[in-house]
Amino acid sequence: MGPEKIAARMGQAVALHRGGNTDAAETIYRAILRAAPRHAGAMHLLGLLRAGAGRLEGALPLLRRAVAIAPEHAHAWTTLGNVLVDLGDAVAALDAFGRALALDPGMAEAGVGRANALQALGRPAEALSALDGVIAAGADVAEAHNSRGNALRALGRAEEALPCYDRAIARRPTFAAAHLNRGVALADLGREREALVDVEVALALSPEHPGMLNVRGQLLRLLGQPGLALDSHDRALRKAPGSAETLAARAAALSDLGRHEDALGAAEAAVRAAPGWAGAHQNRAVALGHLGRHEEAAEAAGASLERDARSGEAWNARANALTELGRFEEALVCLDRAAGTHGRNPNIPYNRGNALRGMGRHAEAIAAFRAAQELDPGFAEARWNESLSLLALGDFAAGLPAYEARWTRRARLVRRHTEARCWRGEDLRGGTLLLHAEQGLGDTIQMARYAPLAAARGCRVVMEVQRPLLPLLRGMPGIAAVIGQGDPVPAHDAQCPMMSLPLVLGTTVETVPGAAPYLTADSGRIAAWGRVLPRGRLRLGIVCSGNPDHVGDRHRSIPLSSFAPLLGRDVAAFLVQTDVRAADADWMLDGSGITDLRPRLRDFSETAAALSCLDLIVCVDTSVAHLAGALGRPTWMLVPPLPDWRWLLDREDSPWYPSMRLFRQARGEAWGDVIARVAAAMPAGARLAA
């Protein structure tokens, strides 16, 4: 093929390339290179074509060879620089752009590329300065404005970045990357719904682009649609199976769906795909945290920080893990570091509030939760945790309204019976009010006290409760009917979730309806238990653990062997719970002297009758504690350092249950020390000799 033929074929290939017929153009470029292996122009354009198709590894050797053959080819140096940036070698890219600009100082594309390399090297201020110079020199091109927006975003100036993207789009309306970046800037500003519109426009211009699909998934997750987010990430992975960023984002969506093991698998795949990327390790830390593997989560966050000590997200993730491990002071140090690099993230003051709550510094925790809400007014988790601290401090006037945030939390409760209006305490004389359980069995027992108060206002009260509580609650005075969850619900004029009753009825610490007993056991069952349980010794009931799936179980459940100091010849001890951990069951069998009542505790009515025949119940914070208190039985409850809000702070009694005495564990104190105080308080003849 002679020079004239080659020139003609090059013209034909360039026309096809510009027209979008890249397959035909590539065929011609390759034919030219077979005929003229050192044709730098064909080599450069074939590399450019492959780079445009995302085939970066195939483009790189062609471009390196092109600049070696024709070192005066500024455009080839620029294309090489762009490919090197995309491949993550920004240092080599900076050199390539420098060579292009040395050959042609006014070359706008090389100036923009150099700024992109500076940005990739974590030097956004230099990138911004370089772009300002390019634009001032007259290069009013879409790429320059788009890159300027990216530099401003990296500097935390997302609001200023938006006009840059607008200018880029005005100069090239089909510039998909500018639409995408505009959406990301809107997301930085918390405007996720607007952001999603821009990302959808970008995808319309560049269908099935994996990076854009990944950003779309992240936005859908932020908008509370993790299922749709997961679908978007999966589509992205079909196009780019090894993308660490998409794998990490997929892990976050899976976590939101409660699929925590799958989330960990995706996060670990991201680490394998990019072991040097801090974000992959940070996402793994989050997944481990959801699985309760907090030591490993702290280590994974540490691995992230080894790779990027400026990562606010990783400092935040490590703080979360340390808070769960009770290492609150260390968590606060991490949060200070997070705030220094990511100060507008509402999760940082939110997590500070959690650490301060763990330390018992509730007033400071409330201030932190409110700071989180100032950054994100819709932050329901912060409002919820604020309510827990307010209630623990006894500020029911502020705490009970804030407690309603439970309905809008990410792990929100399902709001039921919404076809009827929610009762707000208004006159319902002659009407029917449905009160319905919403949380745990203990919560329902505690709130059942309000049903007669509502009925006293002249309305007909129907209670819908968990089925295990039906026999126990059906005997309550003044209640028209008690039905089980899942039973047909009778016609009613209004409804109210039971945990909202203290708010509706204006409860304060001083006005808690605490008269007990407000529940009674069946007299026949009490008589039967009286014949079974021996007299002559102190009859002690023990409850050492609750539901292992409860979010705070590790703080409240105690090994049964820890109660040994309460046992002795003057004590007849009985285990009064239906679920027992394997280690506790083994200890009972090994001559503990505790009688296991599980075979006889068929329902809560049976448990109530057994409790009615005991002289003292020593328990952790479970539904049995509420039942014993509601029956007016002498109950000594072991309370962890961060107690549930209803047990308040710094007091040994409970306004909810007058017969209850609280034994509080100090921070750092072993449960054995608390139980020793319980043993010291027991009647002298019932105490094990020292």
Side-chain angles (χ1 to χ4, degrees):
M1 191 184 299
E4 292 183 4
K5 179 73 169 175
I6 287 173
R9 293 288 278 163
M10 275 292 290
Q12 184 183 8
V14 169
L16 289 165
H17 193 162
R18 287 176 177 162
N21 192 345
T22 54
D23 289 344
E26 180 167 358
T27 299
I28 296 173
Y29 291 141
R30 293 175 66 180
I32 291 169
L33 288 170
R34 282 195 298 273
R38 291 180 59 80
H39 194 294
M43 212 172 289
H44 166 235
L45 291 175
L46 181 56
L48 178 66
L49 183 151
R50 289 181 175 176
R55 294 151 58 193
L56 301 176
E57 297 291 351
L60 186 61
L62 287 165
L63 295 167
R64 288 195 185 282
R65 194 167 171 218
V67 297
I69 293 167
E72 74 287 355
H73 196 328
H75 285 287
W77 281 110
T78 299
T79 305
L80 174 62
N82 288 331
V83 168
L84 288 166
V85 168
D86 289 341
L87 286 171
D89 191 353
V91 172
L94 204 58
D95 176 69
F97 292 125
R99 290 174 180 267
L101 288 166
L103 293 165
D104 184 356
M107 188 177 183
E109 186 181 353
V112 172
R114 179 175 177 275
N116 291 340
L118 289 166
Q119 174 87 344
L121 288 168
R123 294 153 63 181
E126 293 175 69
L128 182 62
S129 176
L131 289 162
D132 286 342
V134 170
I135 294 168
D140 185 17
V141 294
E143 289 80 3
H145 292 293
N146 179 60
S147 293
R148 189 171 189 275
N150 292 343
L152 286 165
R153 271 193 57 245
L155 290 166
R157 295 157 62 182
E159 194 74 59
E160 296 174 67
L162 287 174
C164 297
Y165 298 128
D166 289 338
R167 285 191 282 272
I169 292 165
R171 284 148 185 78
R172 197 198 317 162
T174 59
F175 194 176
H179 287 282
L180 175 72
N181 291 332
R182 187 178 191 278
V184 174
L186 286 166
D188 288 345
L189 294 167
R191 295 158 61 181
E192 289 88 0
R193 293 195 183 281
E194 296 171 73
L196 186 58
V197 173
D198 277 293
V199 174
E200 296 289 9
V201 171
L203 277 166
L205 293 167
S206 186
E208 298 300 302
H209 187 287
M212 295 177 186
L213 285 167
N214 184 41
V215 173
R216 177 179 179 269
Q218 291 173 351
L219 288 170
L220 286 166
R221 174 178 170 260
L222 289 172
L223 290 168
Q225 300 181 64
L228 292 176
L230 183 62
D231 175 69
S232 198
H233 295 315
D234 287 343
R235 285 168 59 192
L237 287 168
R238 285 194 287 272
K239 294 291 181 181
S243 169
E245 286 190 9
T246 305
L247 286 163
R250 185 175 188 270
L254 286 163
S255 285
D256 285 358
L257 291 166
R259 295 168 54 184
H260 300 308
E261 290 288 354
D262 292 339
L264 180 59
E268 291 182 335
V271 170
R272 290 193 296 272
W277 177 40
H281 294 274
Q282 185 262 328
N283 248 48
R284 181 171 177 267
V286 172
L288 287 163
H290 284 304
L291 289 167
R293 294 161 59 178
H294 301 298
E295 289 280 5
E296 295 170 81
E299 291 175 9
S304 177
L305 291 165
E306 288 172 8
R307 291 155 176 82
D308 181 7
R310 300 168 303 168
S311 172
E313 291 88 349
W315 283 114
N316 196 38
R318 181 165 172 78
N320 283 345
L322 292 170
T323 295
E324 292 294 336
L325 292 167
R327 293 158 60 182
F328 304 116
E329 288 84 359
E330 294 175 70
L332 289 175
V333 172
C334 292
L335 290 165
D336 287 340
R337 294 293 300 270
T341 60
H342 213 59
R344 297 294 297 171
N345 183 346
N347 287 313
I348 295 170
Y350 168 70
N351 290 325
R352 181 180 298 280
N354 289 335
L356 290 165
R357 276 189 73 229
M359 299 169 77
R361 292 159 59 179
H362 289 277
E364 294 171 79
I366 290 165
F369 293 133
R370 289 176 176 168
Q373 292 170 74
E374 287 176 10
L375 293 169
D376 179 2
F379 198 165
E381 298 288 342
R383 178 70 167 154
W384 160 259
N385 278 14
E386 178 194 353
S387 81
L388 300 182
S389 281
L390 286 165
L391 292 168
L393 290 169
D395 186 353
F396 284 17
L400 290 173
Y403 192 73
E404 295 297 297
R406 67 191 185 277
W407 302 112
T408 51
R409 295 172 65 204
R410 177 168 288 178
R412 69 186 64 181
L413 298 165
V414 176
R415 199 154 197 167
R416 303 166 61 243
H417 304 301
T418 53
E419 66 281 354
R421 77 176 190 271
C422 189
W423 187 54
R424 302 297 182 192
E426 70 274 11
D427 189 350
L428 202 62
R429 194 168 301 277
T432 296
L433 172 64
L434 174 67
L435 304 179
H436 49 96
E438 55 170 279
Q439 296 186 37
L441 296 164
D443 301 296
T444 302
I445 292 169
Q446 181 191 14
M447 295 299 141
R449 71 187 68 214
Y450 286 98
L453 300 180
R457 295 191 173 198
C459 59
R460 179 177 181 271
V461 171
V462 174
M463 280 203 305
E464 182 201 53
V465 302
Q466 300 93 332
R467 304 198 76 81
L469 295 177
L470 282 174
L472 175 71
L473 298 179
R474 275 185 172 145
M476 286 194 72
I479 309 306
V482 181
I483 61 174
Q485 290 176 340
D487 289 345
V489 177
H492 50 280
D493 301 286
Q495 54 81 24
C496 185
M498 292 182 75
M499 293 298 290
S500 292
L501 287 169
L503 172 64
V504 169
L505 295 174
T507 300
T508 66
V509 172
E510 294 74 27
T511 63
V512 167
Y518 61 87
L519 295 181
T520 56
D522 178 80
S523 58
R525 294 189 184 193
I526 293 174
W529 277 100
R531 291 189 292 272
V532 170
L533 299 179
R535 293 184 180 275
R537 294 190 289 167
L538 184 141
R539 292 173 296 182
L540 174 67
I542 293 175
V543 181
C544 69
S545 59
N547 179 358
D549 295 327
H550 186 280
V551 67
D553 184 67
R554 68 184 180 281
H555 300 301
R556 64 170 184 175
S557 291
I558 303 171
L560 183 57
S561 58
S562 300
F563 290 78
L566 308 185
L567 309 179
R569 64 178 179 220
D570 296 320
V571 174
F574 305 92
L575 189 70
V576 195
Q577 60 188 72
T578 54
D579 295 315
V580 176
R581 317 287 164 92
D584 294 335
D586 291 344
W587 187 77
M588 270 194 298
L589 292 172
D590 194 23
S592 69
I594 297 178
T595 302
D596 185 358
L597 298 184
R598 279 182 298 164
R600 296 180 60 93
L601 300 178
R602 296 185 296 274
D603 57 37
F604 270 84
S605 286
E606 207 68 63
T607 302
L611 293 172
S612 298
C613 294
L614 296 173
D615 301 308
L616 176 65
I617 298 98
V618 177
C619 60
V620 297
D621 182 3
T622 71
S623 58
V624 177
H626 287 279
L627 178 57
L631 294 166
R633 303 306 301 156
T635 306
W636 293 1
M637 192 171 76
L638 311 178
V639 182
L642 179 57
D644 188 274
W645 64 267
R646 68 205 81 201
W647 309 125
L648 302 172
L649 304 171
D650 304 323
R651 54 190 289 174
E652 293 185 358
D653 66 328
S654 168
W656 298 98
Y657 302 112
S659 66
M660 184 174 283
R661 180 176 175 182
L662 305 178
F663 287 79
R664 296 182 181 272
Q665 182 188 38
R667 219 182 126 213
E669 185 181 23
W671 278 119
D673 295 334
V674 181
I675 291 172
R677 285 191 272 118
V678 172
M682 288 175 66
R687 244 183 1 254
L688 185 66

